């Protein structure tokens, strides 16, 4: 066993079979404790299996790597995100509650909205007249109403509301809401799909309505581990309870309530702090000593969250600097770039292991818009950087890339008229009257082939090739090889610069697609086209392609990670905390965000904000409007006691 503190070791070696609640502050080694607890159970039981639930695929990969030296770990340990585990249950037992096989996940918001609008039309609501108006302000307001309904649907699912609860919550101001919600759900299933929130709803329903399914899992997996449990919402917590059933009592939940930053997703620490101890009679442990960060960083964190951190005896002094007199966003960007270059010139410091490099730095902002001026300055100075993104894959932009993506979706689910219409628009062909025919791609390919341009012929051949794939064991490498050659030859043969550029971009997207397939197979996530598509929808194929240079990251995408040197920029009221945070609960979650941002630093932290911001509108003279800024209340709190 690796070196553990006495408290950490007491958690790892606690009696196997009971429930454990671990409140672990930032830098206290919670991932290490959770991993070592899994190792301890595996090594001290004969055949017991363990399910370890994480909130990100990256966290699941990290835990898998840390346990790779344990014998039979792959056979005995199922490590994955809550949604990926729930999706597996849907794939295996969805038919027991009447779900069609090979359900398509509509992970894109626009696709969900398209289905919703069609469900309204099918129920006699003239949505086209409602939306197609000339007044831009009124149009935005009506679109806002549509988006509101989509958010309400998500709330219904995240909170697992019953019919009576739905009517009580919404029908006072949204007439016929339950009927509209049902119509949306019917439209999803009729198109052979579900949305992301449905994964947990249906998986939970399977486990409750078919108890024998839950018994199958609890018979094999006698222990359950949950990471980042402060971020559980009701649907997630109830799914965990259903997965445990009456048999599984060995549950460990590790969390830090001070890092609960997903309230917009219905998350609440009450499931961990209130429900879990009662439902599972859990023993409570606390880890407060921060082994990761310097004393300066820990003291800043304690100003945001009083007494949340304890300094390690071995903690370095560290460095913190507040820069609050920067004139505007451009001046802020220049200061950060100057500081970065000065640190690189310094090359070394006793508190930084090895040479000071861009890879040891991160600039954190409350949202991605904070980085706009900085990206320009970094580009001008030729300072390499990468913008850290979430786990969802970006949509392809070329005709070829869209045809490949949408064609595979329709090959798996011919009833998917949502993506079918998008494919027809991409290929500039008519939309079929009906969907669901097994040879629908061949029909579309024939229509595309009647066009004379070379790219249409390529897309036609691509649709035919996708249709001819074995859905269970598709030869994707061959498809990639064939069309890499085709696109390359087309680029060489064409004198049209537009065609050449299109081929070049298409080849890049095909290469990215190839990388996704390689990742899918390397991770052992399945073989079929359907499993591949679901892995993409669940964010299991995202990898940091470019990790060199300076990292720019929002708070949410940086959670769980750390760097030696952190720049926290844009720290003004309205940005951090976000202007939408109005009540006490929302402000407290913003404070959690600030706590997370600060504790990403291992050694040094620099905090800045601009005194003037340029707004995305013009003033009365037609010039870009400017607005004076106040420093964030969180800066005020941290400054008040630092010495």
């Amino acid at each position: 066993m690796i070196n553990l503190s006495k408290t950490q070791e007491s958690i790892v070696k606690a009696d196997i079979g009971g429930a454990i609640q671990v409140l672990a502050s930032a830098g206290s080694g919670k991932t290490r404790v959770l991993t070592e607890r899994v190792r301890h159970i595996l090594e001290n039981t004969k055949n017991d299996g363990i399910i370890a639930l994480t909130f990100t695929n990256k966290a699941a990969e990290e835990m898998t790597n840390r346990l790779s030296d344990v014998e039979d770990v792959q056979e005995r340990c199922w490590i994955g995100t809550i949604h990926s585990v729930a999706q597996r249950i849907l794939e295996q037992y969805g038919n027991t509650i009447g779900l069609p096989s090979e359900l398509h996940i509509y992970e894109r918001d626009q696709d969900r909205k398209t289905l919703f609008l069609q469900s309204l039309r099918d129920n006699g609501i003239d949505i086209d007249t409602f939306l197609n108006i000339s007044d831009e302000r009124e149009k935005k307001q009506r679109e806002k109403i549509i988006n509101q309904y989509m958010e309400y649907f998500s709330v219904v699912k995240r909170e697992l509301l019953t019919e009576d609860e739905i009517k009580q919550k919404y029908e006072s101001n949204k007439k016929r809401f339950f009927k509209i919600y049902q119509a949306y759900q019917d439209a999803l299933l009729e198109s052979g799909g579900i949305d992301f929130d449905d994964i947990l709803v249906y998986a939970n329903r399977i486990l409750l309505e078919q108890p024998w399914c839950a018994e199958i899992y609890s018979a094999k997996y006698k222990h359950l581990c949950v990471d980042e449990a402060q971020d559980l919402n009701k649907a997630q917590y109830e799914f965990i309870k259903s997965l445990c059933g009456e048999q599984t009592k060995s549950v460990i939940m590790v969390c830090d309530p001070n890092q609960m930053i997903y309230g917009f997703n219905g998350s609440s620490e009450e499931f961990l702090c209130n429900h879990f101890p009662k439902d599972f009679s859990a023993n409570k442990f606390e880890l407060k000593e921060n082994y990761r960060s310097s004393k300066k960083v820990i003291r800043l964190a304690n100003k945001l969250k009083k007494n949340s951190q304890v300094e390690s005896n071995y903690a370095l002094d560290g460095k913190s600097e507040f820069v609050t007199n920067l004139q505007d966003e451009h001046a802020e960007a220049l200061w950060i770039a100057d500081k970065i270059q000065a640190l690189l010139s310094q090359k070394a410091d006793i508190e930084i292991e090895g040479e000071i490099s861009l890879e040891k730095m991160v600039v954190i902002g409350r949202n991605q818009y904070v980085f706009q001026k900085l990206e320009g300055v970094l580009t001008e100075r030729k300072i390499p950087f990468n913008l850290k993104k979430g786990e969802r894959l970006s949509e392809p932009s070329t005709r070829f890339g869209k045809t490949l993506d949408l064609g595979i979706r329709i090959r798996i689910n011919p009833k998917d008229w949502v993506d079918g219409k998008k494919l027809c628009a991409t290929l500039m062909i008519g939309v079929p009257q009906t969907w669901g025919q097994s040879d629908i791609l061949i029909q579309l390919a024939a229509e595309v082939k009647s066009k004379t341009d070379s790219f249409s012929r390529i897309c036609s051949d691509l649709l035919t090739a996708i249709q001819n794939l074995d859905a269970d064991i598709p030869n994707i490498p061959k498809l990639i090889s064939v069309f890499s050659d085709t696109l390359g030859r087309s680029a060489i043969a064409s004198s049209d610069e537009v065609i050449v550029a299109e081929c070049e971009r298409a080849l890049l997207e095909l290469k990215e697609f190839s990388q996704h397939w390689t990742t899918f197979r390397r991770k052992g996530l399945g073989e079929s086209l359907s499993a591949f598509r679901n892995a993409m929808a669940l964010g299991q194929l995202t990898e940091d392609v470019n990790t060199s240079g300076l990292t720019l990251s929002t708070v949410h995408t940086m959670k769980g990670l750390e760097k030696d040197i952190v720049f926290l920029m844009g720290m003004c009221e309205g940005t951090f905390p976000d202007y939408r945070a109005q009540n006490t609960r929302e402000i407290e979650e913003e404070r959690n965000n600030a706590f997370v941002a600060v504790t990403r630093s291992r050694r040094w932290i620099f905090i800045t904000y601009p005194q003037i911001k340029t707004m995305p509108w013009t003033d009365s003279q037609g010039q870009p409007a400017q607005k004076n800024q106040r420093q964030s209340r969180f800066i005020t709190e941290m400054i008040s006691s630092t010495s």
Side-chain angles (χ1 to χ4, degrees):
M1 182 183 291
I2 57 177
N3 292 330
L4 298 170
S5 70
K6 287 185 178 180
T7 308
Q8 290 173 333
E9 189 172 357
S10 67
I11 297 168
V12 170
K13 293 186 176 180
D15 289 343
I16 295 174
I20 300 173
Q21 176 200 53
V22 182
L23 304 181
S25 192
S28 63
K30 69 179 181 63
T31 303
R32 174 188 293 182
V33 167
L34 189 62
T35 305
E36 291 306 305
R37 176 65 176 175
V38 172
R39 184 190 302 274
H40 179 72
I41 293 172
L42 291 172
E43 291 178 348
N44 288 274
T45 60
K46 191 173 182 181
N47 296 308
D48 290 7
I50 301 174
I51 296 178
L53 299 175
T54 65
F55 267 78
T56 66
N57 293 295
K58 197 159 189 66
E61 288 178 35
E62 182 183 349
M63 186 178 291
T64 300
N65 291 336
R66 290 192 185 198
L67 292 167
S68 60
D69 60 328
V70 178
E71 188 178 354
D72 298 331
V73 66
Q74 291 187 335
E75 290 74 25
R76 295 177 60 193
C77 206
W78 184 5
I79 303 172
T81 64
I82 293 178
H83 281 87
S84 67
V85 171
Q87 176 61 23
R88 182 96 63 87
I89 292 172
L90 277 189
E91 290 171 359
Q92 292 181 318
Y93 301 110
N95 63 300
T96 64
I97 59 170
L99 294 176
S101 60
E102 303 207 343
L103 279 169
H104 175 82
I105 302 172
Y106 288 109
E107 77 273 24
R108 295 170 180 166
D109 292 338
Q110 189 56 48
D111 293 347
R112 295 171 57 236
K113 202 180 300 183
T114 299
L115 276 160
F116 172 51
L117 295 177
Q118 188 58 47
S119 73
L120 293 176
R121 294 186 190 98
D122 292 343
N123 279 269
I125 297 174
D126 192 350
I127 196 68
D128 300 293
T129 301
F130 180 76
L131 288 176
N132 295 333
I133 54 173
S134 56
D135 189 312
E136 283 301 315
R137 285 190 177 182
E138 181 63 20
K139 188 171 185 177
K140 284 184 178 179
Q141 182 59 31
R142 294 182 180 189
E143 288 173 348
K144 183 179 177 181
I145 292 171
I146 298 298
N147 291 331
Q148 229 175 32
Y149 268 102
M150 302 310 301
E151 176 56 27
Y152 292 157
F153 294 164
S154 288
V155 171
V156 165
K157 297 174 185 185
R158 292 196 297 257
E159 296 185 6
L160 298 178
L161 299 180
T162 64
E163 180 179 344
D164 288 341
E165 288 170 335
I166 292 171
K167 290 178 177 177
Q168 185 177 359
K169 189 177 181 76
Y170 292 114
E171 294 209 340
S172 59
N173 60 351
K174 297 286 182 186
K175 304 302 179 187
R176 300 174 61 213
F177 179 84
F178 182 70
K179 185 176 181 181
I180 291 171
Y181 170 71
Q182 280 188 311
Y184 169 65
Q185 288 301 103
D186 290 343
L188 280 169
L189 291 177
E190 284 170 11
S191 69
I194 56 174
D195 65 25
F196 204 73
D197 294 313
D198 281 324
I199 296 173
L200 285 170
V201 173
Y202 286 128
N204 188 50
R205 186 177 149 195
I206 289 168
L207 296 173
L208 290 177
E209 293 182 10
Q210 311 293 331
W212 58 271
C213 290
E215 289 169 6
I216 289 173
Y217 290 107
S218 57
K220 181 176 181 180
Y221 301 102
K222 301 184 184 302
H223 312 273
L224 189 73
C225 303
V226 184
D227 193 14
E228 302 286 4
Q230 76 277 351
D231 291 325
L232 292 171
N233 61 28
K234 184 173 182 179
Q236 291 163 341
Y237 180 71
E238 292 298 327
F239 169 71
I240 289 169
K241 278 179 61 181
S242 300
L243 191 58
C244 291
E246 295 297 321
Q247 297 182 46
T248 302
K249 302 298 181 185
S250 176
V251 181
I252 178 172
M253 289 198 180
V254 181
C255 73
D256 179 5
N258 292 327
Q259 296 189 60
M260 200 290 290
I261 61 174
Y262 288 94
F264 60 86
N265 195 37
S267 301
S268 172
E269 65 268 25
E270 71 171 287
F271 298 109
L272 170 89
C273 296
N274 300 331
H275 296 291
F276 176 58
K278 294 176 183 176
D279 294 337
F280 289 86
S281 301
N283 290 321
K284 178 179 175 181
F285 293 84
E286 285 191 88
L287 294 172
K288 297 181 83 171
E289 193 168 13
N290 187 326
Y291 299 97
R292 178 176 70 208
S293 300
S294 64
K295 292 177 182 178
K296 285 283 179 66
V297 170
I298 292 170
R299 289 167 190 173
L300 291 182
N302 277 333
K303 296 317 298 178
L304 293 168
K305 292 286 184 175
K306 192 174 182 180
N307 300 323
S308 63
Q309 306 255 287
V310 173
E311 292 178 15
S312 164
N313 293 331
Y314 306 102
L316 299 172
D317 287 336
K319 183 187 297 182
S320 63
E321 186 175 338
F322 296 89
V323 185
T324 59
N325 60 347
L326 297 166
Q327 182 178 357
D328 53 26
E329 294 158 290
H330 188 246
E332 182 184 30
L334 289 173
W335 188 92
I336 292 172
D338 287 343
K339 192 69 175 180
I340 288 169
Q341 290 182 315
L343 291 172
L344 292 174
S345 298
Q346 182 180 333
K347 291 189 177 179
D349 188 279
I350 192 170
E351 292 194 334
I352 305 294
E353 186 177 345
E355 186 175 344
I356 296 174
S357 66
L358 290 174
E359 286 71 25
K360 293 179 180 178
M361 305 180 195
V362 62
V363 183
I364 298 177
R366 178 62 182 85
N367 57 60
Q368 62 183 359
Y369 306 110
V370 170
F371 304 128
Q372 289 179 347
K373 295 291 184 184
L374 180 60
E375 289 182 54
V377 171
L378 295 173
T379 301
E380 287 172 9
R381 297 195 182 184
K382 294 182 170 55
I383 299 174
F385 67 92
N386 66 86
L387 182 60
K388 189 168 182 58
K389 298 180 180 179
E391 293 188 336
R392 283 197 177 184
L393 300 175
S394 57
E395 295 186 40
S397 61
T398 66
R399 226 187 326 169
F400 179 88
K402 289 179 181 179
T403 302
L404 178 60
D405 175 52
L406 298 170
I408 286 177
R409 290 169 183 257
I410 296 161
R411 173 68 176 83
I412 297 166
N413 175 21
K415 293 190 293 184
D416 179 12
W417 60 267
V418 176
D419 289 312
K421 283 187 173 182
K422 286 197 286 187
L423 178 59
C424 292
T426 298
L427 299 173
M428 294 174 286
I429 58 175
V431 177
Q433 292 292 317
T434 59
W435 296 89
Q437 307 93 306
S438 60
D439 64 343
I440 188 73
L441 290 182
I442 298 298
Q443 296 176 36
L444 298 179
E447 189 167 349
V448 178
K449 204 157 195 173
S450 64
K451 295 180 174 291
T452 56
D453 65 291
S454 59
F455 231 87
S456 289
R457 289 194 297 273
I458 293 173
C459 290
S460 173
D461 291 342
L462 177 59
L463 289 177
T464 302
I466 293 171
Q467 178 63 50
N468 290 334
L469 286 172
D470 183 332
D472 294 325
I473 311 177
N475 192 343
I476 295 295
K478 181 180 178 182
L479 182 142
I480 292 167
S481 175
V482 167
F483 285 94
S484 292
D485 290 344
T486 300
L487 290 168
R489 287 197 306 271
S490 295
I492 293 170
S494 179
S495 57
D496 187 330
E497 291 185 5
V498 174
I499 293 292
V500 172
E502 180 82 356
C503 287
E504 182 182 2
R505 290 196 298 271
L507 279 166
L508 290 174
E509 290 186 342
L510 185 59
K511 181 180 178 181
E512 187 176 20
F513 176 82
S514 176
Q515 290 168 342
H516 294 329
W517 177 260
T518 301
T519 302
F520 169 70
R521 297 296 291 131
R522 176 175 55 79
K523 290 184 175 180
L525 298 172
E527 295 182 332
S528 69
L529 270 184
S530 179
F532 178 50
R533 261 300 322 148
N534 285 337
M536 293 178 79
L538 292 167
Q540 293 174 297
L541 308 185
T542 307
E543 295 192 316
D544 292 329
V545 178
N546 177 20
T547 56
S548 62
L550 175 72
T551 297
L552 311 184
S553 175
T554 65
V555 181
H556 286 87
T557 54
M558 195 62 193
K559 188 177 179 185
L561 306 172
E562 66 270 343
K563 295 279 187 178
D564 285 341
I565 303 167
V566 167
F567 293 86
L568 180 52
M569 69 180 299
M571 285 292 286
C572 43
E573 286 290 307
T575 300
F576 208 156
D578 188 277
Y579 70 94
R580 290 166 293 189
Q582 298 294 321
N583 59 42
T584 302
R585 181 186 61 78
E586 291 166 342
I587 291 295
E588 191 59 25
E589 185 167 331
E590 287 298 292
R591 187 182 306 283
N592 290 350
N593 272 292
F595 177 85
V596 169
V598 167
T599 55
R600 297 314 91 199
S601 171
R602 286 195 285 251
R603 300 290 179 262
W604 303 341
I605 185 165
F606 305 95
I607 303 175
T608 63
Y609 88 95
Q611 294 183 332
I612 297 173
K613 282 179 68 175
T614 301
M615 311 311 289
W617 56 79
T618 56
D619 59 21
S620 56
Q621 281 76 45
Q623 299 299 313
Q626 294 189 322
K627 186 177 180 182
N628 292 330
Q629 302 295 305
R630 291 182 295 117
Q631 73 177 23
S632 167
R633 68 191 73 187
F634 302 137
I635 286 185
T636 304
E637 291 173 12
M638 288 187 281
I639 287 177
S640 67
S641 64
T642 52
S643 57

